[in-house]
Amino acid sequence: MIRSPERPLRPTAGRARARRAADVARAADVARAADVARAARLAALALACATCAPPAQNGSVVVSSGAAERLGMLCRWGHGDAEQGELCGRGDEGAARPARVRRITGPADALSGPLAAGRPGDHVLENDEIAVVVDQLGPGTGLAEGGGHVIDAADARARRDELGQIVARVGAPARQAIYSELATGVGEDGAAWIEVRGRDGAGGALSITTRYALGPRDRALLITTSLQNDGPSPVEALDLGDIVHWGAAEQVAPGDAPGSRGDHEQPYVAGVGAGVAYALAPADGAPLRARSGAGFSDATFARLAALPPGGRVAYQRVLAVAPRGDPLGVATELFFLGGGAPGGVALELVDARGAPLPPIAGKATLTPIAEEGAAPAAGALALWLRTTAGAPLAAEAPPGLYQVDFEGSGRRALGSARVKIRAGEVAPARLALSGAGRLSLSVRERVGPSPAAGPPLPARPTPAKISLFDPRTGKAMAPPLFTLSGDLEIPLPPGQIRVVASRGPEFSLAEATVDVAEGGASRLELTIARVVDTTGYIACDLRQHTARSADASASAAARVASNAVEGVECAVASEHNLVADLSPAVADLKLEGRLRMLPGDELTSARRGAGLGSVSVFPLDAAAPPGALRWRDQAAGALLDEVRALPGERVVQVSRAAGSGSPLHALDAPRSAPDQGSGLVAQLGGGAGADAIEVWTGREIAARDRALEELWGLLRASRPVTPTAASDTHGLLGAEPGYPRTYVGVADDDPGRLDAADLVSALRRRRDVVITNGPFVTVRLGEARQGGVASARRGARREALSLSIRVERAPWVDASELHVLVGGVARGAPIPLEGARTTPAGALVDEIAIPVVVEGGGERRPPTHADAGGERRPPTHADPGGERRPPTHAIAGGERRPAQSAPGPISIAEDTFIVAVVRGRRPLEPVLSAAGEPGEILPFAMTAPLWIDADGDGRSLGRAVAP
């Protein structure tokens, strides 16, 4: 909502009548007995809603002035005091206590949960329904540049938080408010509030005030942010919104799959956790524009062309907190806030003979059914109710006709139930369930090469990821499961199940289709094996997050386990702007011999102009307090000077520019923008600055292609850096750890004995790495391999060498073609890969030898490059008219030319570099599933550059020959 602060909202006559009716109803509740109170409450609810517009589940959310009263009329399930089938729990009658605001002084005042960040000095705003924490002023937590933001929110009885944080942001590009004043209070109406005041964080002319208000019975926090232009000139491009970091909650929105990414226009954004759910909606019902990514939603409520000098503007939104962790809770809260009168549904579960079953854990889906020829609203939120063992199988729901189904605890519904939910009434739904099925699974790792004949080799327990599919449709039946011991008991509904066991791209798959018996246990044993030989290299994921980052959902234990089952051997815990040590979780899970976790810090700022977007630094001292590195007001060069001044040695990895995008360009920078790489790396301190450039992040293929173009520009400009890849995983599904990963050449590749100093030296100096999501590719020229320098004999006019390229992969990983790039430009047509031989361990291998002729001793020329036909062209891939086009055979995905059967020789007349790139045409299924385009999980691998010293002077493009 946008309005002038001097003109507050006035309730309409209809809303005023509803509020008066609600007041009468509440007074009656206090005076009458419980059963009479319940009836009066329902009558008042019906009267209040008679003046409301017909509610729509997918419609806008208009917060009525009487919302607080209506919120007090209907009792909430999910608090543990309601009997099955009852609309209200006992002890819920009586006048509501005023909302409260207080400072946290100890753990008892704060909220609990995996993401609870409240600490002494923060403020709690609460009533008898919900509790919200606003952090104290000063250094911010997570991705906030200061305090004064919502960092925790929970049901008041459960007090378990799963939210990351909500940060108000203004402008385009976005910038945060830096608050310097905080005040609290309670009004005569019993509403409590926190108000923070400050200024535009970019040093602009805007003064910004945000007020958080909570009424006595509200399950929604009203957030009002007002801005005033105190400067002499208009403030232009003023986007008004919030950045929501969902934390442990999964982002959902009407019409989109859970966790969907991209740009959307929606009535609200929401997040569903295990025990609580949240929704953020404009208070005026207008749609918001949201850009969603991994663990976050950037919501824009309004856009102003300009705010004149002295001008003021405000926007309002509501944060609703549902008492359960399911979309039905979200839909009901928003429906209620919009003036709707919910009803209820109570499930009765029976077995095939009709005998009652106790409440069990599972998922009850409510699918709207068209009534009287009218189709249900398109793009509605998919509704389901999370049930738990021993808890009432009942919930509020928007009125309508629904088909109800159920699955969980190894049972499935034998048929659907149809239920008509009416306002203020509880509709029963009876479902007959199958008997419970169970699968006892054992996964083992074969020790040694696969025997051609004779007795099988011994096997040992192994971590594994277990994926379950419907063999008829191929669809996943549930999120993947993890086992660290190799043994797993899985409750499954009766029927055929396809079971796939995996442990990352170095291992083979094992799969089988099994019949799960009803009422009994089926047994299955699967064996996997390490088939890809990566001796001398350790598999690293150099940027990961846990729930300690405000925008991530995985606990420390879940993150460690997810690494183990994906075959990651070394990972960096790079929380946003703080240092976390996950080694205790590694020890707790007894994985010290399989996984090494290094503490790091992802220094992250959304502010542009300072040259800092996301820079990872590792390893760091895990005991360092938050904010030990001052990043908020630091220019990139100053920050790197501070990092280098720390004792010891560490890696500095540039991940992305401010505003997201690729490492050296902002998200909205045009592709024709001048190359910024050299300038930024120079700002980072040249040789003493950035060590690595993260050219591949998760499934961001377009960003990878652009980042590689930036990498070639850096290398041609004689600024050697190490290319790296990282998952940047924030959750567990859709951004799995190790996809992609960086194999780093080290002296001892045993994770239990990894020397962190040697890993740092490898990334900073040796640069011997392979980045991949599947295939393993290495390149060698003479005695030098990727990351090193192959030097021609000084004074030799012509020297013939052989470039050896080896591509190895597990049978389930496709590798179709090899590209050889010289100076960042492909030489020749793609070389087809056929898996020419199979190793004793079971891997597919191609070995390619390409003649290289070094024309040494000549005059040094600028680093121009030739395509396959020999025509000289500049490295920007521009045609004579200046129009940009994709590089031939290059990483950006240009048109392919027919492959040649035998690679021709490569002639090199000047210092340059060679890179080998492998591509596959078959997605990495069933280990990964494509949340978007299948192309995001196509196999890809690339070596670090192998520098060529053509003139024999011991150097090549800033890289020296190893002594």
Side-chain angles (χ1 to χ4, degrees):
M1 158 176 261
I2 300 181
R3 62 179 177 85
S4 167
E6 292 85 6
R7 300 180 60 188
L9 286 176
R10 298 181 181 274
T12 63
R15 290 174 176 169
R17 287 194 299 272
R19 184 169 56 191
R20 288 194 296 272
D23 291 339
V24 173
R26 188 172 64 237
D29 289 345
V30 178
R32 299 175 186 176
D35 55 340
V36 178
R38 188 173 300 116
R41 190 177 292 112
L42 294 175
L45 179 62
L47 176 62
C49 290
T51 63
C52 302
Q57 178 207 329
N58 190 43
S60 60
V61 180
V62 181
V63 180
S64 166
S65 298
E69 287 79 0
R70 284 195 300 276
L71 283 170
M73 295 177 194
L74 200 61
C75 300
R76 303 304 196 193
W77 278 305
H79 299 325
D81 60 353
E83 296 179 0
Q84 184 167 333
E86 288 190 357
L87 186 62
C88 296
R90 296 180 297 273
D92 201 36
E93 290 75 21
R97 293 191 297 164
R100 286 87 63 193
V101 59
R102 56 192 170 83
R103 187 184 290 267
I104 294 177
T105 59
D109 300 327
L111 303 183
S112 65
L115 271 75
R119 65 191 192 278
D122 297 339
H123 284 83
V124 178
L125 190 61
E126 64 184 329
N127 56 19
D128 293 338
E129 298 293 334
I130 66 172
V132 176
V133 176
V134 174
D135 62 343
Q136 59 196 282
L137 303 182
T141 61
L143 291 163
E145 298 180 8
H149 304 286
V150 173
I151 57 171
D152 296 332
D155 179 85
R157 294 169 176 83
R159 301 187 71 80
R160 185 171 176 82
D161 164 70
E162 298 186 50
L163 181 68
Q165 61 186 170
I166 301 177
V167 180
R169 61 111 181 102
V170 299
R175 51 195 186 271
Q176 301 178 17
I178 303 299
Y179 298 116
S180 56
E181 300 177 36
L182 185 148
T184 64
V186 178
E188 294 181 358
D189 58 355
W193 52 267
I194 299 173
E195 186 171 279
V196 287
R197 296 176 176 270
R199 304 200 66 82
D200 177 357
L206 292 175
S207 57
I208 302 176
T209 300
T210 296
R211 173 177 280 230
Y212 307 100
L214 183 65
R217 286 188 181 268
D218 289 356
R219 291 200 67 91
L221 180 73
L222 180 64
I223 308 174
T224 304
T225 298
S226 57
L227 303 90
Q228 177 170 309
N229 182 2
D230 298 329
S233 303
V235 177
E236 299 180 344
L238 195 58
D239 284 13
L240 308 177
D242 291 318
I243 300 176
V244 185
H245 299 290
W246 292 112
E250 182 178 42
Q251 182 262 330
V252 297
D256 293 329
S260 292
R261 306 182 185 188
D263 297 327
H264 314 272
E265 185 172 283
Q266 300 160 329
Y268 58 88
V269 292
V272 174
V276 64
Y278 310 97
L280 185 71
D284 63 354
L288 59 81
R289 288 173 289 272
R291 178 176 64 86
S292 295
F296 78 91
S297 295
D298 187 350
T300 298
F301 301 102
R303 289 177 173 168
L304 298 182
L307 185 66
R312 301 181 68 189
V313 67
Y315 63 103
Q316 286 186 317
R317 56 275 194 212
V318 290
L319 172 66
V321 181
R324 298 182 317 278
D326 54 55
L328 184 61
V330 170
T332 303
E333 293 302 329
L334 293 176
F335 176 83
F336 196 60
L337 279 173
V345 60
L347 303 182
E348 180 187 4
L349 303 181
V350 299
D351 64 17
R353 299 187 302 273
L357 293 172
I360 60 175
K363 178 178 177 180
T365 57
L366 282 75
T367 304
I369 300 174
E371 295 187 76
E372 300 177 358
L381 188 67
L383 299 181
W384 55 268
L385 164 68
R386 189 191 307 273
T387 67
T388 56
L393 300 177
E396 297 168 351
L401 184 64
Y402 297 92
Q403 175 179 300
V404 184
D405 293 277
F406 184 90
E407 183 171 313
S409 300
R411 300 176 183 264
R412 65 157 55 101
L414 299 176
S416 302
R418 181 173 289 200
V419 60
K420 174 74 172 181
I421 298 176
R422 294 181 173 86
E425 299 179 6
V426 181
R430 192 171 192 261
L431 290 170
L433 303 186
S434 69
R438 189 172 81 254
L439 176 63
S440 295
L441 177 65
S442 174
V443 183
R444 296 295 181 261
E445 178 188 352
R446 187 186 73 228
V447 181
S450 178
L457 292 171
R460 61 190 177 193
T462 179
K465 180 172 75 174
I466 309 301
S467 303
L468 306 173
F469 301 93
D470 184 332
R472 297 167 301 172
T473 65
K475 293 183 177 180
M477 298 184 60
L481 305 172
F482 300 162
T483 173
L484 299 180
S485 66
D487 297 320
L488 202 59
E489 294 289 323
I490 312 173
L492 288 171
Q496 282 198 330
I497 308 290
R498 179 190 174 206
V499 184
V500 180
S502 64
R503 196 183 151 195
E506 295 181 41
F507 286 76
S508 62
L509 296 185
E511 65 174 282
T513 298
V514 61
D515 286 306
V516 177
E518 181 172 0
S522 302
R523 299 187 181 278
L524 178 64
E525 184 169 321
L526 298 173
T527 301
I528 61 176
R530 186 189 296 270
V531 297
V532 178
D533 183 5
T534 60
T535 301
Y537 292 85
I538 191 163
C540 296
D541 192 343
L542 300 177
R543 189 158 65 103
Q544 298 186 343
H545 298 271
T546 72
R548 292 198 64 185
S549 287
D551 57 347
S553 59
S555 66
R559 173 60 62 231
V560 167
S562 66
N563 278 306
V565 302
E566 298 292 4
V568 175
E569 300 167 319
C570 169
V572 176
S574 54
E575 314 294 5
H576 293 296
N577 308 314
L578 63 87
V579 181
D581 184 9
L582 270 61
S583 57
V586 174
D588 290 344
L589 296 175
K590 298 179 172 57
L591 292 171
E592 298 96 328
R594 299 186 186 272
L595 176 65
R596 178 71 178 274
M597 294 295 306
L598 299 176
D601 191 345
E602 182 181 344
L603 302 169
T604 310
S605 173
R607 189 191 311 176
R608 302 186 190 179
L612 171 62
S614 173
V615 174
S616 298
V617 181
F618 61 90
L620 288 170
D621 182 1
L629 293 173
R630 297 185 302 275
W631 57 274
R632 195 186 84 197
D633 297 316
Q634 294 280 68
L639 175 65
L640 266 295
D641 290 342
E642 189 174 338
V643 169
R644 294 303 183 206
L646 295 173
E649 189 177 37
R650 55 204 39 82
V651 176
V652 175
Q653 173 181 270
V654 178
S655 299
R656 63 185 68 218
S660 191
S662 57
L664 305 182
H665 288 84
L667 182 66
D668 53 0
R671 293 190 68 85
S672 58
D675 182 22
Q676 301 170 351
S678 298
L680 179 57
V681 171
Q683 185 185 13
L684 292 177
D691 306 303
I693 299 290
E694 186 182 298
V695 297
W696 187 6
T697 304
R699 301 186 178 189
E700 299 176 6
I701 304 306
R704 180 191 71 195
D705 294 342
R706 181 163 188 175
L708 289 173
E709 293 179 3
E710 296 168 352
L711 175 65
W712 312 145
L714 286 173
L715 299 179
R716 289 191 290 254
S718 297
R719 293 195 177 277
V721 290
T722 304
T724 60
S727 68
D728 188 30
T729 177
H730 287 63
L732 298 175
L733 183 63
E736 294 82 355
Y739 294 96
R741 63 192 66 196
T742 303
Y743 281 94
V744 183
V746 291
D748 189 341
D749 62 6
D750 187 318
R753 298 192 300 266
L754 177 65
D755 182 354
D758 184 53
L759 181 79
V760 170
S761 180
L763 289 167
R764 295 198 67 197
R765 285 181 285 276
R766 296 196 300 271
R767 308 192 191 278
D768 180 5
V769 301
V770 175
I771 63 174
T772 182
N773 63 359
F776 186 71
V777 54
T778 56
V779 61
R780 182 179 292 274
L781 187 62
E783 296 299 317
R785 61 186 184 185
Q786 65 271 353
V789 181
S791 185
R793 289 177 297 170
R794 191 168 184 86
R797 301 295 300 176
R798 182 181 179 88
E799 186 170 2
L801 301 170
S802 179
L803 182 69
S804 300
I805 302 175
R806 177 186 172 93
V807 181
E808 187 169 355
R809 68 271 192 196
W812 65 274
V813 175
D814 182 41
S816 304
E817 57 190 32
L818 168 70
H819 303 255
V820 179
L821 284 72
V822 179
V825 180
R827 288 292 183 96
I831 301 169
L833 301 174
E834 301 171 350
R837 70 180 180 89
T838 302
T839 68
L844 303 179
V845 175
D846 287 282
E847 294 175 308
I848 299 96
I850 303 175
V852 174
V853 178
V854 180
E855 307 282 354
E859 182 181 354
R860 177 71 180 249
R861 292 173 291 177
T864 54
H865 309 279
D867 65 12
E871 180 183 354
R872 308 290 295 183
R873 57 187 174 88
T876 55
H877 313 298
D879 64 17
E883 183 180 354
R884 285 184 66 85
R885 56 189 174 83
T888 309
H889 309 309
I891 310 307
E895 183 180 354
R896 312 275 186 231
R897 284 185 259 175
Q900 58 187 30
S901 57
I906 297 175
S907 295
I908 295 177
E910 60 197 11
D911 289 358
T912 188
F913 58 89
I914 293 177
V915 171
V917 173
V918 174
R919 290 179 179 272
R921 299 192 183 99
R922 189 177 67 245
L924 292 167
E925 297 170 327
V927 174
L928 302 181
S929 60
E933 293 296 324
E936 69 184 13
I937 57 171
L938 287 176
F940 181 95
M942 187 187 92
T943 67
L946 194 163
W947 280 266
I948 309 297
D949 170 23
D951 55 12
D953 67 352
R955 300 188 63 82
S956 175
L957 301 178
R959 189 90 168 104
V961 176

